[in-house]
């Protein structure tokens, strides 16, 4: 059953997961796709389809799915059970905050180290994570087969950093800068544009 | 000219701004909408339209816009020149990281304090920002007319926190939890779902 999962499904799964964990904490054992659909204002057919991509367990009519099994299946599908290593580039304020944030472990992400071109930062540690120079980071990426890079460098340097990481063998880029990154077809970029979110909130609030 | 700015335009503006700041740093004085369009793979007409919503200065044919004026106009349009106060709720790992992150000031955002229901955290400080109990936070929101709330509480508590903030007078919610928040029509929610981004990257990387 686990063939290609559509992007839209993948994007909904973390929300389902958060909800399922919430109701699991409330000792609810079974859940129907209808209940999930109502909670998220989605159609039951869509939720049913999403879950069929994730879990080979078929929900029992009227009773639904066993919550804890569904949680496990979604976590496996999202690779949360399978720790992935990442390197973070650009140890400024945001970079340091992300290096210090322990919550990514719950999502199967392990930031192994930081990289910065500033010689004053190279060799230091942030929350126990060592900061490497670009040269040493490149060796680390290759040795550990790190496939995921997190870019928190200044926007003006983001493309150069991205090229460097891909050159070293990375296949996924999590971009926290507002820069527009150009990458080869076999590399995935996910933009996390907090400036964009803030802009929206800010303008919407002005209007009121 | 500055009437209603479409949501899509607002979302593109921070990207333009980052790019304009980059080229301003390279001593480039003028920019055309065509150059911006090419950089972001957008159509020139779209960029021209976006800029016409922001700036009353009309670009000179062949020469384009004065970069520094355009930067100023976009910043004013996004309210970056106009500091907005916010309260952060849920001083866990992510909450502490955001409280400590100084970069929001560049986007006109000032997180004035934190709030947490944990009595061990109330009264402490994170990067010089005081952590309030819900009761005292409510008084602070009303006294300072804080309109923006940042939620970094556990997902299971997010809706209750959201209701509490709106009740105290907030009109904008920046939601860092995967919870699906229900709000009245006059309140804006922007979801910052890092779990969703990670899920996408994780599954895409598995496929390769």
């Amino acid at each position: 059953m686990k063939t290609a999962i559509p992007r839209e499904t993948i994007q909904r799964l973390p929300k389902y997961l958060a909800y399922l964990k919430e109701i699991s904490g409330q000792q609810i054992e079974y859940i129907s796709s209808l209940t999930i659909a109502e909670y998220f204002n989605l159609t039951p057919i869509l939720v049913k389809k999403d879950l069929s991509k994730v879990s080979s367990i078929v929900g029992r009519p009227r009773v639904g799915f066993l919550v804890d099994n569904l949680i496990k299946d979604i976590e496996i599908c999202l690779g949360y059970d399978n720790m992935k290593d990442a390197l973070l580039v650009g140890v400024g304020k945001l970079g340091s905050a992300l290096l210090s944030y322990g919550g990514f472990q719950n999502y199967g992400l392990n930031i192994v180290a930081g990289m910065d071109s500033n010689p004053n930062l190279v060799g230091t540690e942030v929350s126990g994570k060592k900061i490497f120079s670009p040269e040493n980071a490149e060796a680390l990426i290759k040795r550990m087969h790190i496939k995921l890079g997190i870019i928190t460098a200044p926007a003006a340097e983001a493309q150069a950093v991205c090229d460097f990481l891909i050159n070293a063998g990375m296949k996924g880029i999590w971009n926290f800068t507002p820069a527009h990154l150009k990458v080869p077809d076999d590399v995935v970029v996910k933009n996390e544009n907090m400036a964009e979110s803030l802009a929206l909130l800010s303008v919407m609030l002005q209007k009121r």
Side-chain angles (χ1 to χ4, degrees), chain A:
Chain A
M1 273 287 209
K2 281 184 64 179
T3 47
I5 302 178
R7 193 186 170 98
E8 290 70 33
T9 299
I10 297 167
Q11 285 181 295
R12 281 188 291 268
L13 290 178
K15 292 183 199 169
Y16 297 165
L17 188 61
Y19 175 58
L20 292 169
K21 284 191 173 169
E22 184 183 330
I23 60 167
S24 166
Q26 293 160 7
Q27 321 294 338
I28 296 170
E29 250 189 292
Y30 283 91
I31 184 117
S32 69
S33 38
L34 184 68
T35 311
I36 300 178
E38 276 171 357
Y39 184 78
F40 290 106
N41 292 323
L42 299 168
T43 65
I45 300 168
L46 187 76
V47 174
K48 206 170 265 185
K49 241 192 207 159
D50 283 348
L51 297 183
S52 75
K53 301 272 179 199
V54 169
S55 180
S56 51
I57 317 158
V58 182
R60 284 201 283 151
R62 259 174 265 269
V63 182
F65 296 89
L66 205 53
V67 174
D68 289 342
N69 284 356
L70 207 48
I71 289 176
K72 217 176 297 163
D73 284 345
I74 294 178
E75 285 183 335
I76 290 170
C77 175
L78 293 178
Y80 290 175
D81 60 324
N82 178 0
M83 223 27 116
K84 273 161 301 296
D85 290 331
L87 179 85
L88 179 142
V89 182
V91 188
K93 282 174 183 161
L94 181 60
S96 301
L98 293 180
L99 280 176
S100 307
Y101 176 49
F104 289 135
Q105 296 270 349
N106 301 331
Y107 302 108
L109 181 74
N110 177 34
I111 308 181
V112 292
M115 168 185 136
D116 206 289
S117 54
N118 179 348
N120 295 327
L121 289 175
V122 172
T124 65
E125 284 191 0
V126 175
S127 298
K129 279 154 188 177
K130 211 171 158 182
I131 312 307
F132 287 79
S133 69
E135 299 72 44
N136 291 336
E138 193 178 358
L140 183 80
I141 294 165
K142 289 179 176 166
R143 194 172 69 242
M144 291 186 68
H145 303 288
I146 301 175
K147 294 291 170 221
L148 184 62
I150 302 171
I151 305 184
T152 48
E157 292 166 27
Q159 185 64 56
V161 167
C162 177
D163 294 344
F164 171 88
L165 295 177
I166 292 170
N167 223 21
M170 295 218 177
K171 295 292 178 201
I173 301 290
W174 200 5
N175 176 28
F176 280 82
T177 80
H180 174 78
L181 298 177
K182 288 172 209 253
V183 299
D185 283 342
D186 66 333
V187 174
V188 202
V189 175
K190 186 75 189 75
N191 297 304
E192 206 67 36
N193 206 328
M194 294 212 249
E196 201 176 277
S197 300
L198 258 171
L200 260 181
L201 278 168
S202 173
V203 176
M204 300 289 193
L205 285 177
Q206 276 173 18
K207 272 202 255 175
R208 272 147 225 272

